[in-house]
Amino acid sequence: MVQRSGWLPISSGISTGARVCAIGDVHGCARQFNEILTAFAAELGDYDETSLVLTGDLNDRGPDSVRAIDTAIAAHEHGFNRLIPLMGNHEQMLRLASCSDHLHERRSWFLNGGTSVMRELGLSPEIRFAPTAEFTGAITAALGAERMRFLHELSYHWRIGNLLFVHAGIDFSNSLDAHLAQPWHLLNDWHWAWIRAGFLNRTSPYPDLTIIHGHTPVNRSLGMADPLQPHLLNGGKINLDGGSFGTGFVAAAEFIPGAYRISLAGGAHG
């Protein structure tokens, strides 16, 4: 079941008749992901066009990472006019592990939930220690051409009207353009796929821009009476990380001219 807030005011800057839907961190919670997609698709006829943004972290840690990726690939079949899947740090690590000859990238993925994806793909744990060519060959073969193409075609961010969608956030000490121009493969705490400090603890300095992101699970102690509350607009930001792999919540949002609302699928037991 999908819970929804009422419509709330926001200066979205999008055109009349348009709707933008965004889904936050899934982390293998494919059932909840599909529930939100289905709820969004049921109202396509109410709008002239609907775009769907996935803010990243489809895979790792949860029960059905491979199915979550496949659900994202097939999302256009629901009838959305435009699909914009973004790269999260977990897609970044998976892509690096599948193509890099550096063991550091491979270990980073394993330490951050990659072993669950390996199991889903039917790969032996021992493959982790294989030479690079054998390991990357096994991963790419198990993922298959369509999933690999999906990983290689992910966008880094997307902006429409007064809305900016990015996985982790923005470095407010840097220019917006410079921050978003960082190469996809960097593994550092100030990257658009990784940043927390310097973003989460500051109000956005961009008064005409709302930043929609995930990456850091919301603090549910701030809104225990209403599980939607922690995802509401705050300081120029909307956080769509429901802590899915631990809480079972996958969070999402819809934007229309002048308004937005939050959706939540799942719960404490997924």
Side-chain angles (χ1 to χ4, degrees):
M1 183 177 128
V2 176
Q3 304 175 65
R4 277 174 161 166
S5 71
W7 288 105
L8 300 164
I10 192 173
S11 177
S12 63
I14 60 179
S15 59
T16 301
R19 176 175 65 148
V20 177
C21 301
I23 301 177
D25 301 48
V26 172
H27 283 296
C29 294
R31 178 181 61 78
Q32 296 92 314
F33 180 24
N34 191 63
E35 287 177 358
I36 291 178
L37 280 177
T38 301
F40 285 163
E43 297 177 348
L44 289 173
D46 297 341
Y47 303 92
D48 296 333
E49 62 175 48
T50 298
S51 300
L52 175 67
V53 187
L54 308 176
T55 66
D57 282 8
L58 294 166
N59 54 283
D60 298 343
R61 294 177 172 159
D64 292 302
S65 290
V66 175
R67 186 155 66 98
I69 293 172
D70 290 344
T71 299
I73 292 171
H76 67 278
E77 296 175 2
H78 287 270
F80 297 101
N81 300 91
R82 182 164 32 179
L83 174 63
I84 308 99
L86 303 183
M87 177 179 283
N89 60 309
H90 285 266
E91 287 88 0
Q92 178 202 42
M93 288 185 288
L94 173 55
R95 182 175 165 186
L96 282 168
S98 69
C99 68
S100 176
D101 59 358
H102 297 291
L103 290 177
H104 171 69
E105 282 82 357
R106 196 190 304 184
R107 291 194 191 101
S108 293
W109 183 48
F110 293 145
L111 291 171
N112 286 279
T115 51
S116 63
V117 180
M118 296 273 288
R119 286 194 298 270
E120 287 183 52
L121 293 171
L123 295 173
S124 167
E126 285 71 30
I127 196 72
R128 293 182 297 170
F129 308 107
T132 296
E134 182 181 347
F135 176 80
T136 57
I139 288 288
T140 55
L143 284 168
E146 189 173 30
R147 296 185 193 115
M148 288 302 301
R149 182 166 54 251
F150 175 79
L151 290 171
H152 281 261
E153 293 178 353
L154 294 170
S155 299
Y156 308 158
H157 59 88
W158 188 60
R159 183 170 180 176
I160 183 171
N162 300 329
L163 309 174
L164 173 64
F165 300 85
V166 63
H167 176 63
I170 299 300
D171 176 6
F172 293 139
S173 67
N174 199 355
S175 76
L176 192 60
D177 288 343
H179 176 75
L180 294 172
Q182 292 179 89
W184 72 269
H185 62 273
L186 300 182
L187 297 170
N188 67 67
D189 291 340
W190 296 96
H191 192 261
W192 43 259
W194 287 91
I195 191 168
R196 287 192 170 103
F199 172 67
L200 296 172
N201 299 326
R202 289 183 58 188
T203 297
S204 172
Y206 305 109
D208 299 322
L209 190 67
T210 297
I211 302 164
I212 299 94
H213 68 98
H215 185 58
T216 302
V218 298
N219 184 350
R220 296 218 166 270
S221 66
L222 298 178
M224 291 302 292
D226 179 2
L228 298 164
Q229 182 68 34
H231 300 285
L232 299 182
L233 177 64
N234 182 24
K237 299 170 282 189
I238 293 175
N239 185 345
L240 295 182
D241 187 348
S244 51
F245 68 89
T247 66
F249 282 118
V250 172
E254 296 166 83
F255 301 88
I256 59 175
Y260 80 104
R261 66 179 174 182
I262 299 296
S263 297
L264 205 59
H269 302 290

